[in-house]
mmCIF file with all atom_site columns, all heavy atoms in Angstrom:
data_model
loop_
_atom_site.group_PDB
_atom_site.id
_atom_site.type_symbol
_atom_site.label_atom_id
_atom_site.label_alt_id
_atom_site.label_comp_id
_atom_site.label_asym_id
_atom_site.label_entity_id
_atom_site.label_seq_id
_atom_site.pdbx_PDB_ins_code
_atom_site.Cartn_x
_atom_site.Cartn_y
_atom_site.Cartn_z
_atom_site.occupancy
_atom_site.B_iso_or_equiv
_atom_site.pdbx_formal_charge
_atom_site.auth_seq_id
_atom_site.auth_comp_id
_atom_site.auth_asym_id
_atom_site.auth_atom_id
_atom_site.pdbx_PDB_model_num
ATOM 1   N N   . VAL A 1 222 ? -9.103  -10.706 17.515 1.00 0.00 ? 222 VAL A N   1
ATOM 2   C CA  . VAL A 1 222 ? -8.122  -9.716  17.814 1.00 0.00 ? 222 VAL A CA  1
ATOM 3   C C   . VAL A 1 222 ? -7.601  -9.255  16.407 1.00 0.00 ? 222 VAL A C   1
ATOM 4   O O   . VAL A 1 222 ? -7.836  -9.729  15.439 1.00 0.00 ? 222 VAL A O   1
ATOM 5   C CB  . VAL A 1 222 ? -6.993  -10.352 18.655 1.00 0.00 ? 222 VAL A CB  1
ATOM 6   C CG1 . VAL A 1 222 ? -7.359  -10.676 20.089 1.00 0.00 ? 222 VAL A CG1 1
ATOM 7   C CG2 . VAL A 1 222 ? -6.360  -11.588 17.941 1.00 0.00 ? 222 VAL A CG2 1
ATOM 8   N N   . ASP A 1 223 ? -6.805  -8.123  16.440 1.00 0.00 ? 223 ASP A N   1
ATOM 9   C CA  . ASP A 1 223 ? -6.278  -7.625  15.224 1.00 0.00 ? 223 ASP A CA  1
ATOM 10  C C   . ASP A 1 223 ? -5.169  -8.374  14.634 1.00 0.00 ? 223 ASP A C   1
ATOM 11  O O   . ASP A 1 223 ? -4.964  -8.452  13.472 1.00 0.00 ? 223 ASP A O   1
ATOM 12  C CB  . ASP A 1 223 ? -5.820  -6.131  15.422 1.00 0.00 ? 223 ASP A CB  1
ATOM 13  C CG  . ASP A 1 223 ? -7.001  -5.160  15.776 1.00 0.00 ? 223 ASP A CG  1
ATOM 14  O OD1 . ASP A 1 223 ? -8.134  -5.637  15.454 1.00 0.00 ? 223 ASP A OD1 1
ATOM 15  O OD2 . ASP A 1 223 ? -6.774  -4.173  16.461 1.00 0.00 ? 223 ASP A OD2 1
ATOM 16  N N   . ARG A 1 224 ? -4.352  -8.932  15.459 1.00 0.00 ? 224 ARG A N   1
ATOM 17  C CA  . ARG A 1 224 ? -3.167  -9.788  14.914 1.00 0.00 ? 224 ARG A CA  1
ATOM 18  C C   . ARG A 1 224 ? -2.810  -10.829 15.894 1.00 0.00 ? 224 ARG A C   1
ATOM 19  O O   . ARG A 1 224 ? -3.035  -10.780 17.187 1.00 0.00 ? 224 ARG A O   1
ATOM 20  C CB  . ARG A 1 224 ? -1.980  -8.940  14.564 1.00 0.00 ? 224 ARG A CB  1
ATOM 21  C CG  . ARG A 1 224 ? -1.278  -8.199  15.683 1.00 0.00 ? 224 ARG A CG  1
ATOM 22  C CD  . ARG A 1 224 ? 0.084   -7.614  15.294 1.00 0.00 ? 224 ARG A CD  1
ATOM 23  N NE  . ARG A 1 224 ? 1.147   -8.622  15.214 1.00 0.00 ? 224 ARG A NE  1
ATOM 24  C CZ  . ARG A 1 224 ? 1.731   -9.074  14.106 1.00 0.00 ? 224 ARG A CZ  1
ATOM 25  N NH1 . ARG A 1 224 ? 1.348   -8.688  12.943 1.00 0.00 ? 224 ARG A NH1 1
ATOM 26  N NH2 . ARG A 1 224 ? 2.804   -9.963  14.167 1.00 0.00 ? 224 ARG A NH2 1
ATOM 27  N N   . LEU A 1 225 ? -2.215  -11.954 15.476 1.00 0.00 ? 225 LEU A N   1
ATOM 28  C CA  . LEU A 1 225 ? -1.686  -12.953 16.242 1.00 0.00 ? 225 LEU A CA  1
ATOM 29  C C   . LEU A 1 225 ? -0.262  -13.065 16.032 1.00 0.00 ? 225 LEU A C   1
ATOM 30  O O   . LEU A 1 225 ? 0.364   -12.677 14.935 1.00 0.00 ? 225 LEU A O   1
ATOM 31  C CB  . LEU A 1 225 ? -2.364  -14.327 15.833 1.00 0.00 ? 225 LEU A CB  1
ATOM 32  C CG  . LEU A 1 225 ? -3.884  -14.405 16.237 1.00 0.00 ? 225 LEU A CG  1
ATOM 33  C CD1 . LEU A 1 225 ? -4.405  -15.642 15.636 1.00 0.00 ? 225 LEU A CD1 1
ATOM 34  C CD2 . LEU A 1 225 ? -4.101  -14.464 17.713 1.00 0.00 ? 225 LEU A CD2 1
ATOM 35  N N   . GLU A 1 226 ? 0.592   -13.397 17.224 1.00 0.00 ? 226 GLU A N   1
ATOM 36  C CA  . GLU A 1 226 ? 1.972   -13.334 17.097 1.00 0.00 ? 226 GLU A CA  1
ATOM 37  C C   . GLU A 1 226 ? 2.562   -14.797 16.732 1.00 0.00 ? 226 GLU A C   1
ATOM 38  O O   . GLU A 1 226 ? 1.955   -15.797 17.258 1.00 0.00 ? 226 GLU A O   1
ATOM 39  C CB  . GLU A 1 226 ? 2.493   -12.959 18.507 1.00 0.00 ? 226 GLU A CB  1
ATOM 40  C CG  . GLU A 1 226 ? 2.113   -11.583 18.865 1.00 0.00 ? 226 GLU A CG  1
ATOM 41  C CD  . GLU A 1 226 ? 2.465   -10.529 17.903 1.00 0.00 ? 226 GLU A CD  1
ATOM 42  O OE1 . GLU A 1 226 ? 3.504   -10.668 17.253 1.00 0.00 ? 226 GLU A OE1 1
ATOM 43  O OE2 . GLU A 1 226 ? 1.807   -9.464  17.705 1.00 0.00 ? 226 GLU A OE2 1
ATOM 44  N N   . PRO A 1 227 ? 3.730   -14.897 16.148 1.00 0.00 ? 227 PRO A N   1
ATOM 45  C CA  . PRO A 1 227 ? 4.314   -16.172 15.899 1.00 0.00 ? 227 PRO A CA  1
ATOM 46  C C   . PRO A 1 227 ? 4.699   -16.798 17.211 1.00 0.00 ? 227 PRO A C   1
ATOM 47  O O   . PRO A 1 227 ? 5.001   -16.108 18.163 1.00 0.00 ? 227 PRO A O   1
ATOM 48  C CB  . PRO A 1 227 ? 5.593   -15.791 15.120 1.00 0.00 ? 227 PRO A CB  1
ATOM 49  C CG  . PRO A 1 227 ? 5.397   -14.442 14.533 1.00 0.00 ? 227 PRO A CG  1
ATOM 50  C CD  . PRO A 1 227 ? 4.422   -13.754 15.607 1.00 0.00 ? 227 PRO A CD  1
ATOM 51  N N   . VAL A 1 228 ? 4.726   -18.107 17.265 1.00 0.00 ? 228 VAL A N   1
ATOM 52  C CA  . VAL A 1 228 ? 5.134   -18.983 18.512 1.00 0.00 ? 228 VAL A CA  1
ATOM 53  C C   . VAL A 1 228 ? 5.925   -20.065 18.022 1.00 0.00 ? 228 VAL A C   1
ATOM 54  O O   . VAL A 1 228 ? 5.729   -20.592 16.944 1.00 0.00 ? 228 VAL A O   1
ATOM 55  C CB  . VAL A 1 228 ? 4.029   -19.328 19.451 1.00 0.00 ? 228 VAL A CB  1
ATOM 56  C CG1 . VAL A 1 228 ? 3.253   -18.189 20.072 1.00 0.00 ? 228 VAL A CG1 1
ATOM 57  C CG2 . VAL A 1 228 ? 2.960   -20.115 18.637 1.00 0.00 ? 228 VAL A CG2 1
ATOM 58  N N   . ASP A 1 229 ? 6.650   -20.664 18.947 1.00 0.00 ? 229 ASP A N   1
ATOM 59  C CA  . ASP A 1 229 ? 7.099   -22.128 18.807 1.00 0.00 ? 229 ASP A CA  1
ATOM 60  C C   . ASP A 1 229 ? 6.264   -22.940 19.695 1.00 0.00 ? 229 ASP A C   1
ATOM 61  O O   . ASP A 1 229 ? 5.922   -22.563 20.884 1.00 0.00 ? 229 ASP A O   1
ATOM 62  C CB  . ASP A 1 229 ? 8.553   -22.140 19.212 1.00 0.00 ? 229 ASP A CB  1
ATOM 63  C CG  . ASP A 1 229 ? 9.480   -21.296 18.396 1.00 0.00 ? 229 ASP A CG  1
ATOM 64  O OD1 . ASP A 1 229 ? 9.045   -20.977 17.293 1.00 0.00 ? 229 ASP A OD1 1
ATOM 65  O OD2 . ASP A 1 229 ? 10.713  -21.093 18.803 1.00 0.00 ? 229 ASP A OD2 1
ATOM 66  N N   . PHE A 1 230 ? 5.836   -24.071 19.164 1.00 0.00 ? 230 PHE A N   1
ATOM 67  C CA  . PHE A 1 230 ? 4.855   -24.819 19.849 1.00 0.00 ? 230 PHE A CA  1
ATOM 68  C C   . PHE A 1 230 ? 5.074   -26.258 19.642 1.00 0.00 ? 230 PHE A C   1
ATOM 69  O O   . PHE A 1 230 ? 5.398   -26.758 18.554 1.00 0.00 ? 230 PHE A O   1
ATOM 70  C CB  . PHE A 1 230 ? 3.464   -24.522 19.431 1.00 0.00 ? 230 PHE A CB  1
ATOM 71  C CG  . PHE A 1 230 ? 2.359   -24.683 20.388 1.00 0.00 ? 230 PHE A CG  1
ATOM 72  C CD1 . PHE A 1 230 ? 2.274   -23.937 21.540 1.00 0.00 ? 230 PHE A CD1 1
ATOM 73  C CD2 . PHE A 1 230 ? 1.484   -25.810 20.281 1.00 0.00 ? 230 PHE A CD2 1
ATOM 74  C CE1 . PHE A 1 230 ? 1.278   -24.136 22.467 1.00 0.00 ? 230 PHE A CE1 1
ATOM 75  C CE2 . PHE A 1 230 ? 0.477   -26.128 21.160 1.00 0.00 ? 230 PHE A CE2 1
ATOM 76  C CZ  . PHE A 1 230 ? 0.349   -25.297 22.284 1.00 0.00 ? 230 PHE A CZ  1
ATOM 77  N N   . GLU A 1 231 ? 4.879   -27.093 20.691 1.00 0.00 ? 231 GLU A N   1
ATOM 78  C CA  . GLU A 1 231 ? 5.163   -28.482 20.671 1.00 0.00 ? 231 GLU A CA  1
ATOM 79  C C   . GLU A 1 231 ? 3.698   -29.243 20.505 1.00 0.00 ? 231 GLU A C   1
ATOM 80  O O   . GLU A 1 231 ? 2.847   -29.062 21.192 1.00 0.00 ? 231 GLU A O   1
ATOM 81  C CB  . GLU A 1 231 ? 5.833   -29.042 21.965 1.00 0.00 ? 231 GLU A CB  1
ATOM 82  C CG  . GLU A 1 231 ? 6.076   -30.590 21.892 1.00 0.00 ? 231 GLU A CG  1
ATOM 83  C CD  . GLU A 1 231 ? 6.888   -31.121 23.091 1.00 0.00 ? 231 GLU A CD  1
ATOM 84  O OE1 . GLU A 1 231 ? 7.461   -30.332 23.817 1.00 0.00 ? 231 GLU A OE1 1
ATOM 85  O OE2 . GLU A 1 231 ? 6.915   -32.441 23.210 1.00 0.00 ? 231 GLU A OE2 1
ATOM 86  N N   . ASN A 1 232 ? 3.812   -30.214 19.464 1.00 0.00 ? 232 ASN A N   1
ATOM 87  C CA  . ASN A 1 232 ? 2.696   -30.956 19.189 1.00 0.00 ? 232 ASN A CA  1
ATOM 88  C C   . ASN A 1 232 ? 2.488   -32.049 20.340 1.00 0.00 ? 232 ASN A C   1
ATOM 89  O O   . ASN A 1 232 ? 3.376   -32.466 21.003 1.00 0.00 ? 232 ASN A O   1
ATOM 90  C CB  . ASN A 1 232 ? 2.778   -31.678 17.920 1.00 0.00 ? 232 ASN A CB  1
ATOM 91  C CG  . ASN A 1 232 ? 1.620   -32.491 17.460 1.00 0.00 ? 232 ASN A CG  1
ATOM 92  O OD1 . ASN A 1 232 ? 0.480   -32.189 17.908 1.00 0.00 ? 232 ASN A OD1 1
ATOM 93  N ND2 . ASN A 1 232 ? 1.889   -33.499 16.613 1.00 0.00 ? 232 ASN A ND2 1
ATOM 94  N N   . CYS A 1 233 ? 1.222   -32.506 20.552 1.00 0.00 ? 233 CYS A N   1
ATOM 95  C CA  . CYS A 1 233 ? 0.972   -33.549 21.602 1.00 0.00 ? 233 CYS A CA  1
ATOM 96  C C   . CYS A 1 233 ? 1.090   -34.949 20.880 1.00 0.00 ? 233 CYS A C   1
ATOM 97  O O   . CYS A 1 233 ? 1.124   -35.106 19.686 1.00 0.00 ? 233 CYS A O   1
ATOM 98  C CB  . CYS A 1 233 ? -0.430  -33.256 22.263 1.00 0.00 ? 233 CYS A CB  1
ATOM 99  S SG  . CYS A 1 233 ? -1.764  -33.495 21.110 1.00 0.00 ? 233 CYS A SG  1
ATOM 100 N N   . PRO A 1 234 ? 1.318   -36.015 21.771 1.00 0.00 ? 234 PRO A N   1
ATOM 101 C CA  . PRO A 1 234 ? 1.372   -37.385 21.232 1.00 0.00 ? 234 PRO A CA  1
ATOM 102 C C   . PRO A 1 234 ? 0.063   -37.862 20.597 1.00 0.00 ? 234 PRO A C   1
ATOM 103 O O   . PRO A 1 234 ? -1.041  -37.261 20.850 1.00 0.00 ? 234 PRO A O   1
ATOM 104 C CB  . PRO A 1 234 ? 1.739   -38.245 22.445 1.00 0.00 ? 234 PRO A CB  1
ATOM 105 C CG  . PRO A 1 234 ? 1.401   -37.382 23.643 1.00 0.00 ? 234 PRO A CG  1
ATOM 106 C CD  . PRO A 1 234 ? 1.353   -35.869 23.287 1.00 0.00 ? 234 PRO A CD  1
ATOM 107 N N   . ASP A 1 235 ? 0.163   -38.793 19.732 1.00 0.00 ? 235 ASP A N   1
ATOM 108 C CA  . ASP A 1 235 ? -0.983  -39.298 18.949 1.00 0.00 ? 235 ASP A CA  1
ATOM 109 C C   . ASP A 1 235 ? -1.741  -40.221 19.801 1.00 0.00 ? 235 ASP A C   1
ATOM 110 O O   . ASP A 1 235 ? -1.379  -41.449 20.035 1.00 0.00 ? 235 ASP A O   1
ATOM 111 C CB  . ASP A 1 235 ? -0.539  -39.913 17.688 1.00 0.00 ? 235 ASP A CB  1
ATOM 112 C CG  . ASP A 1 235 ? -1.686  -40.137 16.719 1.00 0.00 ? 235 ASP A CG  1
ATOM 113 O OD1 . ASP A 1 235 ? -2.611  -40.788 17.112 1.00 0.00 ? 235 ASP A OD1 1
ATOM 114 O OD2 . ASP A 1 235 ? -1.619  -39.795 15.546 1.00 0.00 ? 235 ASP A OD2 1
ATOM 115 N N   . ARG A 1 236 ? -2.985  -39.804 20.154 1.00 0.00 ? 236 ARG A N   1
ATOM 116 C CA  . ARG A 1 236 ? -3.823  -40.679 21.013 1.00 0.00 ? 236 ARG A CA  1
ATOM 117 C C   . ARG A 1 236 ? -4.397  -41.903 20.379 1.00 0.00 ? 236 ARG A C   1
ATOM 118 O O   . ARG A 1 236 ? -4.627  -42.889 21.013 1.00 0.00 ? 236 ARG A O   1
ATOM 119 C CB  . ARG A 1 236 ? -4.973  -39.795 21.712 1.00 0.00 ? 236 ARG A CB  1
ATOM 120 C CG  . ARG A 1 236 ? -6.015  -39.343 20.622 1.00 0.00 ? 236 ARG A CG  1
ATOM 121 C CD  . ARG A 1 236 ? -6.830  -38.212 21.133 1.00 0.00 ? 236 ARG A CD  1
ATOM 122 N NE  . ARG A 1 236 ? -8.025  -37.896 20.281 1.00 0.00 ? 236 ARG A NE  1
ATOM 123 C CZ  . ARG A 1 236 ? -9.116  -38.349 20.338 1.00 0.00 ? 236 ARG A CZ  1
ATOM 124 N NH1 . ARG A 1 236 ? -9.497  -39.093 21.378 1.00 0.00 ? 236 ARG A NH1 1
ATOM 125 N NH2 . ARG A 1 236 ? -10.087 -38.059 19.514 1.00 0.00 ? 236 ARG A NH2 1
ATOM 126 N N   . ILE A 1 237 ? -4.560  -41.769 19.101 1.00 0.00 ? 237 ILE A N   1
ATOM 127 C CA  . ILE A 1 237 ? -5.076  -42.942 18.340 1.00 0.00 ? 237 ILE A CA  1
ATOM 128 C C   . ILE A 1 237 ? -3.844  -44.017 18.171 1.00 0.00 ? 237 ILE A C   1
ATOM 129 O O   . ILE A 1 237 ? -4.192  -45.307 18.249 1.00 0.00 ? 237 ILE A O   1
ATOM 130 C CB  . ILE A 1 237 ? -5.692  -42.544 17.041 1.00 0.00 ? 237 ILE A CB  1
ATOM 131 C CG1 . ILE A 1 237 ? -6.793  -41.612 17.249 1.00 0.00 ? 237 ILE A CG1 1
ATOM 132 C CG2 . ILE A 1 237 ? -6.193  -43.866 16.250 1.00 0.00 ? 237 ILE A CG2 1
ATOM 133 C CD1 . ILE A 1 237 ? -7.913  -42.025 18.264 1.00 0.00 ? 237 ILE A CD1 1
#
Side-chain angles (χ1 to χ4, degrees):
V222 294
D223 293 338
R224 67 171 276 109
L225 292 171
E226 299 302 330
V228 288
D229 294 346
F230 204 74
E231 179 173 349
N232 184 23
C233 62
D235 194 305
R236 64 194 188 98
I237 302 304

